[in-house]
Amino acid sequence: MIFVTGGAGFIGSNFILDWLGDDQAEPVLNIDKLTYAGNPYNLASVAQDARYAFVQADICDEIAMATLLSRYRPRAILHFAAESHVDRSIHSPDEFIRTNVNGSFNLLSKTLRYWQTLPQAEQADFRFLHVSTDEVYGSLGPNDAPFSETTPYAPNSPYSASKAASDHLVRAFHHTYGLPTLTTNCSNNYGPYHFPEKLIPLVISNALAGNPLPIYGDGQQIRDWLYVTDHCAAIRTVLARGTPGQTYNIGGWNEQANLHVVHTLCDTLDELAPRAEGSYRSLITFVKDRPGHDRRYAIDARKLESELGWKPAETFESGIRKTVQWYLANGDWVAQVRSGAYLNWLQKQYGDHPPGALI
C-alpha cells in the first residue's frame, strides 16, 4: 500500500481520488491531523472503498508514525501534510515550523528506521515523495527566467522558509543515509475542494454571495497556475519513474496576474451564473498589500517533460471553467466549509469508533 500524509487537504484529497480512480491502484492509508483545512468530507465518495483507510494522526507524533509504518509496511510515502497559507504564516509562524519542519523531520526519521529494516529488493523499490512549493525559490522580476530545479533557494515568508527547510531535510536524508527520496516543487494549484481562503475559491464563493472580492495591492502579482488534477498526474509520474534524490518542478505554463485571474473568474461567472445587478467585476475591491508579498513566480517544468514525459493537460481557460463549474455544482460543499459543518462529518461517518483508535 501507499501512505498519503495530509490526504484530507486540497491537493492530498484530489490525489487520493485520482489514485483510487484506477481500478488497479494499490490501497491508500490517509494520515491527516484534520486541522481547519483538512476536510474528510472531500473523500466521502471513497470512504467505503476497501482500498481506502483513514487515520487521524499528527506527523509530529513519534509513536503514531512508527506504529503505522510497522503495522502497514507501505512501499511508498507521499508527503503532502503541511501548513500552507502565507497570510497565516505571517501572523502565526509557530505552527508552520512545528508541522513543516519538525513534522517532516519526524516523518523522515521514522521512515528511515522502517526502510532500514526492509529486505534489499524492497529498499530499492521504496520511495519517499515530498510535495513542496515554488515559493522556496523566492520572487522573480518581470524579465527573469522561470524557476528551475537549480535555482537557489530564497524564501521570503515564514511559510516558504519552513517548506525550504523541509526540502533540505529530504535532500539530506537521501545523501546522508541513502533513503530513496523524491521532491516536487509545484506552482499555484487550483480546482475542486480548494479551501476558500485561497484566491480562486475565495473569489468564487464571495462573488456568489455578493460579497467584496479583495485584491492585494495593484493585483499585478504574477503566479503560474496549475490545475490540481494535472498536478496529481505529475506526482504519479514522478513516483513511478523519477530518479531517487532528484527534484522535479511541476508547473502549468500559465503565468497570470492576480487581477487577470479575478477578471477571468468574474467573466466566467457572468456567463454561467449571471447576477441581476450586473457583472461580478463590480464587486472587486483593492486592499492593502500583505507584508513581503512576492511579485512573481514562474516554473520551468522542462525537466519533468523531457525526462519523464509529463506535461499539463489543462490550459488556464479550460481549468478555470472546470473549477467554476465544480463550485456551482457543489454549493453544499462550500456551505459546509464556510459554516464549519464539515468538521462534524467524521463523527457522522464513524460515530463512536473514529479511525485512528488503533494508535
Side-chain angles (χ1 to χ4, degrees):
M1 71 176 343
I2 65 168
F3 281 10
V4 173
T5 70
F10 165 48
I11 303 175
S13 59
N14 272 284
F15 179 83
I16 290 173
L17 292 172
D18 179 74
W19 181 269
L20 293 177
D22 180 352
D23 291 339
Q24 305 303 313
E26 299 156 274
V28 176
L29 180 66
N30 175 12
I31 303 167
D32 199 296
K33 183 182 177 182
L34 294 185
T35 59
Y36 76 97
N39 186 351
Y41 183 55
N42 294 357
L43 295 156
S45 64
V46 297
Q48 302 304 320
D49 192 316
R51 299 169 299 163
Y52 174 73
F54 170 68
V55 169
Q56 185 173 357
D58 185 345
I59 59 170
C60 293
D61 187 330
E62 296 185 26
I63 295 175
M65 295 305 104
T67 300
L68 291 171
L69 286 163
S70 175
R71 180 165 299 184
Y72 291 101
R73 301 183 63 81
R75 70 97 179 168
I77 296 174
L78 292 98
H79 180 33
F80 293 86
E83 297 284 348
S84 65
H85 193 244
V86 174
D87 288 356
R88 288 179 181 269
S89 80
I90 292 170
H91 298 295
S92 303
D94 307 51
E95 278 302 304
F96 287 74
I97 302 304
R98 180 184 181 277
T99 298
N100 299 354
V101 183
N102 298 339
S104 295
F105 172 72
N106 181 54
L107 186 63
L108 282 163
S109 297
K110 299 303 175 290
T111 300
L112 176 63
R113 291 183 186 179
Y114 160 72
W115 176 75
Q116 289 172 334
T117 69
L118 295 176
Q120 188 171 2
E122 292 182 30
Q123 283 190 352
D125 290 339
F126 183 84
R127 296 292 183 269
F128 183 104
L129 193 155
H130 173 60
V131 180
S132 190
T133 172
D134 59 356
E135 296 193 36
V136 299
Y137 298 124
S139 184
L140 293 169
N143 300 314
D144 290 342
F147 300 132
S148 73
E149 288 80 1
T150 59
T151 299
Y153 277 31
N156 291 321
S157 71
Y159 161 60
S160 57
S162 68
K163 289 298 290 184
S166 64
D167 290 7
H168 292 321
L169 285 169
V170 171
R171 174 184 171 87
F173 268 69
H174 172 72
H175 286 276
T176 302
Y177 306 111
L179 186 69
T181 64
L182 298 157
T183 297
T184 59
N185 294 88
C186 70
S187 57
N188 281 40
N189 279 223
Y190 68 100
Y193 302 109
H194 205 175
F195 198 81
E197 67 181 358
K198 302 296 179 72
L199 177 65
I200 289 177
L202 178 65
V203 167
I204 295 172
S205 57
N206 275 15
L208 292 173
N211 295 327
L213 309 181
I215 306 293
Y216 278 130
D218 61 3
Q220 294 305 309
Q221 304 87 358
I222 293 174
R223 301 293 182 261
D224 174 25
W225 293 94
L226 175 66
Y227 192 62
V228 67
T229 56
D230 278 335
H231 188 193
C232 294
I235 290 171
R236 293 184 67 159
T237 299
V238 173
L239 179 64
R241 301 199 298 277
T243 301
Q246 290 294 300
T247 295
Y248 298 90
N249 282 352
I250 306 174
W253 298 107
N254 284 312
E255 285 188 60
Q256 306 289 344
N258 285 348
L259 186 58
H260 177 72
V261 172
V262 175
H263 283 165
T264 302
L265 289 168
C266 289
D267 295 346
T268 306
L269 285 167
D270 285 341
E271 176 191 345
L272 299 178
R275 61 198 293 260
E277 298 86 349
S279 175
Y280 289 97
R281 288 196 184 202
S282 65
L283 298 173
I284 292 173
T285 302
F286 291 90
V287 299
K288 182 181 178 181
D289 209 352
R290 72 184 178 207
H293 200 169
D294 289 340
R295 197 64 174 170
R296 174 177 169 245
Y297 305 145
I299 281 282
D300 181 343
R302 286 179 295 178
K303 175 180 177 179
L304 186 52
E305 181 174 355
S306 63
E307 293 188 10
L308 304 183
W310 176 88
K311 59 182 178 180
E314 301 293 341
T315 65
F316 178 71
E317 291 74 20
S318 67
I320 285 291
R321 175 168 286 269
K322 287 184 177 181
T323 300
V324 171
Q325 289 172 330
W326 186 89
Y327 278 91
L328 290 174
N330 291 274
D332 57 337
W333 182 90
V334 176
Q336 280 204 343
V337 170
R338 290 209 141 191
S339 69
Y342 73 98
L343 296 171
N344 300 323
W345 184 85
L346 204 63
Q347 176 65 26
K348 292 178 182 177
Q349 179 70 24
Y350 293 101
D352 295 328
H353 303 282
L358 60 91
I359 59 170

